[in-house]
Amino acid sequence: KESNEAAAQVLLAAATMTAQSQALVHSTIMKQLSPTQNLARDLKLVFPSLGQSFILAMLESQDGAFSKTFFEQLRSEVEKNAREKASSAESAQEEEKNSKSSTDSMQTTSKSPPSDDSTKKEDDGTKTTIAKDSKSAQEEGGGRGETEKGKQDSTSKNPEEKAKKKTKKTQKKQKKEKKEEGGQPMMIKIGKNMAVSGPSIVSTGAVIPIVPERKVKSMHVEIVSPSGRVSSSTCVFLPSEFGSHTVKITCDGKSSDELFRIVASSAVYEYADSLDKLYDTLFWSWEGNWHGDVENSVVQLVLAVEDNLKKFIEGMNSMLKSLGQDTDTNQLLTTLQENMGDALQTHDKTAMGRLHQAIYQFLEIGMMPWPQSFKDAVAAFERVKFQYSNKEKVMEALLVVQASLKRHLGSAEKELEPSCQYVTRLKTAMRRLDDMIGRNTIDLSLMWELRPKPFENLFAMFGGQAQDNGPPRSKIKYLPSLELKEAIGGGKDLDKKVSLYNEVLLGDAMMVGSMLGYEVGHDVGQDRRIIQNLLFAGFGYLTTRGGKIIPTLNSLRAVLPLTNAPSTKEAKGAKNRSRSRSPAARNTQSRQQKKERKSANLAIGHKKLKKRGKDVSRMLRNAARDKGSISFRVNTDFKQTMRLLTEHHKDSWVGPKLQAVWEVMFKESEMLVFELWYGGEMIAADIAHRVGRSIYVATRFFQQSYRKLQPGFLLALVETKFLAEAGFVLWDLGGTDSSPMMAYKEVVSFQMSRPEFLAKFLPVRAGSVGLKTGIIIDDVKAEHLLC
């Protein structure tokens, strides 16, 4: 309504719509935008090949049935632009490929290849790519010229040829899908049965057309923003504020059965999210190449810790204890030492990634003057680790940070004082990032400067300039604190904090009370209230080994929706009915069952989970059960669960103080333990909380000695089926990242951004669902699995 430029974007999107939607676009713009001269001028800039007088004539047509020629020309203009872009991109790729091929031919014709090890390492990736490209070119050349040979090849039993053809076919398919996906505009679609589909998250300021897939005479759209403001539209969604928007659509008097929710992001959220992804990539992009220089860097780190850091921490702790304070630095030091030992012993990705994370936990406390020898050892470790990391992934993440930082800097300059320290720091980071990417190099020291230091606002207490002047949503927040009264009281105050940190939080974690945190175990009743209030607001939580509680709002959440899952009775009854019919009827019945199952699992729609379900079903049919049956139970042995959890996770965040709180919560029916037993032995368990119609799994374990039974996946599939039948809507596994330890979550759940998760969670957090306890299934079979 306020910008002809936006109207031009709407008309651009309308070029791909149906004729009915185009009519709605035209009538809406004509009612709400003026003067048409200015709009015609703007459209002339967007579509230079169309005459301004022609555009003006089309816009000012009053008969309602405006000329189709207008949109046909717009469509042709869009397609022309797309073709030109595709052609230029293909030309660039072809030039790059030719240059690489010529380099490769020069190298292969050389009689004496270079023997220097560093040169080999640098050229290794290029040679591999060129080899693949040349093989693909040979395959394409052979396929084009020899039809009869192609027929023979199709029947060939050579497994290598088959694998090559399959890979080539898959690559072509993926390339085609990617091209089609890139050419399609982002829009909300209304199906024939009023089923609404569309993107789950979009940027504020975007223009999202609402497109019916059938002929409609009238359409009305009602949009409720996160702040509760209600607006209406006829054909387009224009998000102007961050958060989850509710969209209700009515076509020809018929409304959609379910409200459609779409999340609008913001510049500050996108910057924080891009930084989270960058650090995640930095921690876990090491490719597992263990060399002498890697080992030496870890050894130097060990020496720096033993010689200097330990003495420094001992002195700091004695000083804090004299002031009546305590910190978790001893626990952090122990974790760091254990991770260094694991890295030297196992040489694996998990140990190296966890070591890198532990280092950041130390150095992110920017107020501490850590010994210089320790800082130098950290810098050396990072340089060597990065040398053997996937640099392309890191550079891709940096490019995303660059784009989001540019947008965030633009909004910050409008909302904050241009000379304030926050904006100054963003400008400095922007210059360094542009320079680094322009030179195609990566300076690891910049990684430490991109995110703000925790507790930096404490300097305002000593007469310094406060860093949080301006609107609270104008900049990212790192390791902020919740007031203790907010955590104890819960309610609207805590909801407001979740709404704020949903947008601006960097790094997932927060503190309670103060920079020194809140420790559980002193007042169990208060501890219980805090945990329940945090979960109800949408937080997850962890504790340090010393018992300090850390609320988490993870940038990525692992969640499985449980709606539309088929019940055990339906699955078992369908199987029995199929057996009782004739072969012909069975075939018909089988097709119908597949169709129904596909419809029933529509909300799950998880290929990896379904594949795992088949594997587990096969295991249940074939595995010998020497120790008895496999049973599924709920809340039968809390003490054994805690004992096995401690044995499985040696560095578990669930310490004795939290276990004592959990024991009271368990007795008060505020905790759930889902158990998998093999004969008389517990082999897996999930420790969880009930939050309305959602289940939050705080932690889980399985016994490695029974891994052939896939106990972790088996429990997940049985548990989620049980919860779905009871009426639960979400199965929440908490935060996830790229570490190997979290890989299982990708198999059993979906990864949702923080705003997407809260949009699904908040509507279902109220209410209660009854749940049976005891032995639920005494002999687990395939029909007891979710899929």
Side-chain angles (χ1 to χ4, degrees):
K1 294 181 181 179
E2 298 171 358
S3 168
N4 288 328
E5 186 180 346
Q9 292 182 53
V10 175
L11 289 172
L12 175 63
T16 61
M17 294 182 188
T18 61
Q20 290 75 25
S21 298
Q22 289 171 358
L24 288 169
V25 170
H26 179 267
S27 61
T28 302
I29 287 178
M30 289 307 95
K31 288 176 184 177
Q32 299 177 351
L33 283 165
S34 63
T36 52
Q37 283 280 2
N38 293 336
L39 178 57
R41 181 198 61 207
D42 289 341
L43 287 173
K44 172 65 178 168
L45 296 175
V46 179
F47 308 110
S49 65
L50 300 181
Q52 184 166 330
S53 58
F54 169 76
I55 294 173
L56 190 60
M58 292 302 100
L59 291 175
E60 292 181 337
S61 60
Q62 301 295 326
D63 57 0
F66 62 99
S67 173
K68 293 182 180 179
T69 311
F70 178 56
F71 278 112
E72 286 174 0
Q73 291 210 26
L74 285 183
R75 187 192 296 271
S76 65
E77 189 74 14
V78 172
E79 292 173 351
K80 179 184 174 184
N81 291 341
R83 283 196 301 272
E84 288 176 354
K85 286 182 180 179
S87 177
S88 61
E90 287 176 3
S91 300
Q93 289 176 358
E94 190 66 30
E95 287 178 9
E96 185 179 355
K97 184 177 177 182
N98 291 338
S99 65
K100 286 183 178 180
S101 299
S102 62
T103 305
D104 182 53
S105 62
M106 291 174 65
Q107 290 176 353
T108 52
T109 54
S110 175
K111 293 182 180 179
S112 55
S115 59
D116 183 63
D117 292 339
S118 61
T119 307
K120 287 181 180 179
K121 285 176 185 175
E122 290 174 1
D123 291 343
D124 184 62
T126 308
K127 288 180 179 179
T128 305
T129 307
I130 294 169
K132 288 180 180 177
D133 290 342
S134 62
K135 285 181 182 179
S136 300
Q138 289 172 9
E139 288 173 358
E140 288 173 3
R144 281 195 296 267
E146 304 177 18
T147 310
E148 292 183 4
K149 273 190 177 183
K151 291 179 181 179
Q152 292 175 3
D153 289 341
S154 64
T155 58
S156 172
K157 294 182 180 180
N158 188 340
E160 291 184 3
E161 288 295 325
K162 287 184 178 180
K164 286 178 185 177
K165 287 181 180 180
K166 189 175 181 180
T167 304
K168 186 178 173 184
K169 190 175 179 181
T170 305
Q171 289 174 346
K172 282 186 177 180
K173 186 178 178 182
Q174 290 175 346
K175 189 176 180 182
K176 185 179 178 182
E177 288 175 352
K178 189 175 181 180
K179 190 174 180 182
E180 290 175 353
E181 184 181 352
Q184 293 296 323
M186 192 173 284
M187 62 178 66
I188 298 173
K189 293 183 179 180
I190 310 166
K192 294 181 180 179
N193 298 321
M194 290 302 294
V196 183
S197 62
S200 57
I201 186 166
V202 297
S203 296
T204 50
V207 179
I208 312 298
I210 300 172
V211 183
E213 294 183 341
R214 62 182 178 88
K215 292 183 179 180
V216 295
K217 295 179 181 178
S218 64
M219 183 169 72
H220 178 75
V221 181
E222 184 179 273
I223 301 164
V224 182
S225 71
S227 61
R229 184 171 57 88
V230 180
S231 60
S232 60
S233 172
T234 53
C235 60
V236 71
F237 171 52
L238 300 167
S240 59
E241 62 178 287
F242 174 85
S244 176
H245 295 69
T246 302
V247 182
K248 185 177 181 180
I249 302 173
T250 305
C251 293
D252 296 337
K254 185 179 179 181
S255 300
S256 52
D257 294 333
E258 295 185 4
L259 296 176
F260 179 71
R261 288 184 173 85
I262 184 168
V263 174
S265 67
S266 65
V268 64
Y269 167 76
E270 288 168 5
Y271 179 51
D273 186 59
S274 69
L275 286 179
D276 279 328
K277 288 182 171 62
L278 172 63
Y279 292 115
D280 183 62
T281 304
L282 192 64
F283 293 147
W284 302 107
S285 60
W286 185 63
E287 295 182 322
N289 300 310
W290 187 268
H291 296 280
D293 48 356
V294 177
E295 183 165 352
N296 184 57
S297 70
V298 179
V299 170
Q300 292 301 318
L301 199 57
V302 171
L303 293 175
V305 170
E306 295 295 325
D307 293 343
N308 301 103
L309 187 62
K310 284 177 72 173
K311 294 178 182 178
F312 176 83
I313 289 174
E314 287 172 4
M316 184 181 66
N317 286 341
S318 62
M319 180 188 69
L320 288 171
K321 285 180 180 178
S322 67
L323 297 172
Q325 301 293 339
D326 190 16
T327 68
D328 282 308
T329 48
N330 283 331
Q331 283 79 26
L332 286 172
L333 179 61
T334 301
T335 301
L336 182 61
Q337 290 172 316
E338 289 175 353
N339 289 331
M340 288 188 295
D342 289 342
L344 289 171
Q345 184 177 358
T346 64
H347 303 172
D348 67 1
K349 291 183 179 181
T350 302
M352 288 289 282
R354 293 175 74 173
L355 173 57
H356 206 167
Q357 282 183 322
I359 290 170
Y360 262 65
Q361 286 180 330
F362 257 97
L363 294 183
E364 68 190 3
I365 306 176
M367 294 170 60
M368 299 297 180
W370 300 117
Q372 189 60 43
S373 61
F374 176 61
K375 290 182 179 180
D376 292 341
V378 167
F381 166 77
E382 285 197 308
R383 282 195 301 271
V384 174
K385 178 174 178 280
F386 181 71
Q387 183 180 347
Y388 301 105
S389 297
N390 188 328
K391 298 178 184 63
E392 289 183 3
K393 279 188 177 180
V394 177
M395 183 57 78
E396 286 174 6
L398 277 171
L399 289 171
V400 176
V401 171
Q402 183 188 35
S404 60
L405 174 55
K406 185 177 180 181
R407 188 180 174 207
H408 176 46
L409 178 58
S411 63
E413 286 179 320
K414 295 177 183 176
E415 298 173 351
L416 302 169
E417 288 292 331
S419 59
C420 75
Q421 290 186 25
Y422 184 81
V423 174
T424 302
R425 187 168 58 210
L426 289 182
K427 288 179 179 178
T428 303
M430 189 80 246
R431 285 194 298 270
R432 289 193 61 189
L433 196 56
D434 288 343
D435 178 63
M436 189 174 70
I437 292 174
R439 291 185 289 107
N440 197 28
T441 59
I442 296 176
D443 182 1
L444 292 173
S445 66
L446 179 61
M447 307 299 178
W448 297 93
E449 299 174 15
L450 284 172
R451 61 179 175 183
K453 300 291 186 293
F455 319 128
E456 61 183 4
N457 291 325
L458 291 178
F459 289 110
M461 295 167 55
F462 304 99
Q465 182 184 1
Q467 301 295 306
D468 57 356
N469 292 330
R473 296 177 184 268
S474 59
K475 56 186 181 178
I476 58 176
K477 301 286 193 301
Y478 179 60
L479 206 62
S481 290
L482 290 174
E483 292 184 24
L484 184 58
K485 64 179 183 181
E486 293 173 336
I488 296 172
K492 292 183 179 179
D493 290 338
L494 204 53
D495 284 347
K496 287 178 182 177
K497 283 297 177 73
V498 169
S499 175
L500 170 64
Y501 292 127
N502 181 23
E503 183 175 6
V504 303
L505 182 64
L506 170 67
D508 299 347
M510 303 176 68
M511 303 296 286
V512 174
S514 69
M515 64 174 288
L516 297 175
Y518 172 84
E519 189 176 298
V520 299
H522 301 294
D523 186 342
V524 174
Q526 183 170 280
D527 300 340
R528 288 163 55 196
R529 284 197 301 275
I530 289 175
I531 290 173
Q532 289 171 336
N533 288 338
L534 290 175
L535 293 172
F536 187 78
F539 289 100
Y541 73 94
L542 303 168
T543 59
T544 65
R545 291 187 181 183
K548 289 179 181 175
I549 193 164
I550 301 174
T552 57
L553 272 178
N554 300 88
S555 58
L556 272 183
R557 198 88 167 222
V559 183
L560 183 69
L562 300 176
T563 52
N564 295 335
S567 68
T568 303
K569 289 182 179 179
E570 288 172 348
K572 193 172 182 180
K575 188 175 181 181
N576 291 336
R577 286 195 301 273
S578 176
R579 286 174 178 171
S580 63
R581 293 173 179 265
S582 64
R586 258 202 314 269
N587 289 336
T588 306
Q589 182 79 354
S590 177
R591 286 194 296 271
Q592 183 64 22
Q593 286 173 13
K594 285 181 181 179
K595 190 174 179 181
E596 289 173 358
R597 272 200 304 272
K598 187 176 180 181
S599 175
N601 284 329
L602 195 61
I604 298 170
H606 199 311
K607 291 182 179 179
K608 288 184 178 180
L609 181 59
K610 291 178 181 178
K611 185 177 183 299
R612 181 63 64 172
K614 290 180 180 178
D615 293 341
V616 174
S617 296
R618 193 180 304 112
M619 180 277 298
L620 287 173
R621 290 193 301 269
N622 300 331
R625 304 186 191 182
D626 302 330
K627 295 187 177 182
S629 63
I630 297 174
S631 61
F632 172 65
R633 310 178 187 184
V634 179
N635 287 5
T636 65
D637 197 331
F638 180 80
K639 288 186 177 180
Q640 186 174 357
T641 303
M642 292 298 104
R643 180 180 61 79
L644 292 172
L645 174 67
T646 305
E647 290 176 3
H648 179 77
H649 295 295
K650 293 180 180 179
D651 57 348
S652 175
W653 57 269
V654 183
K657 293 180 180 179
L658 181 60
Q659 285 190 23
V661 177
W662 276 3
E663 187 170 4
V664 176
M665 296 181 77
F666 183 80
K667 290 176 181 177
E668 297 295 327
S669 302
E670 296 168 356
M671 293 285 296
L672 291 168
V673 180
F674 301 102
E675 309 158 2
L676 192 70
W677 290 70
Y678 180 26
E681 188 174 0
M682 186 188 298
I683 61 173
D686 285 357
I687 297 95
H689 297 273
R690 181 189 342 218
V691 190
R693 290 182 290 157
S694 175
I695 290 289
Y696 172 74
V697 179
T699 188
R700 63 196 324 256
F701 74 88
F702 71 92
Q703 292 205 50
Q704 291 283 352
S705 56
Y706 294 101
R707 60 183 177 274
K708 289 184 178 179
L709 298 176
Q710 303 184 57
F713 291 115
L714 177 55
L715 175 61
L717 290 163
V718 176
E719 178 185 328
T720 48
K721 180 66 168 290
F722 170 66
L723 293 171
E725 291 182 352
F728 286 92
V729 176
L730 293 177
W731 189 58
D732 176 14
L733 289 173
T736 185
D737 56 32
S738 301
S739 70
M741 299 174 294
M742 297 291 182
Y744 77 92
K745 292 187 179 182
E746 190 178 347
V747 178
V748 298
S749 64
F750 292 102
Q751 290 188 349
M752 295 184 186
S753 67
R754 185 164 56 223
E756 289 175 296
F757 164 72
L758 288 172
K760 289 186 178 296
F761 167 76
L762 293 177
V764 304
R765 65 177 178 173
S768 61
V769 179
L771 208 59
K772 297 177 182 178
T773 59
I775 301 176
I776 307 301
I777 305 170
D778 55 7
D779 187 11
V780 174
K781 296 179 180 177
E783 58 260 27
H784 298 122
L785 306 182
L786 182 69
C787 57

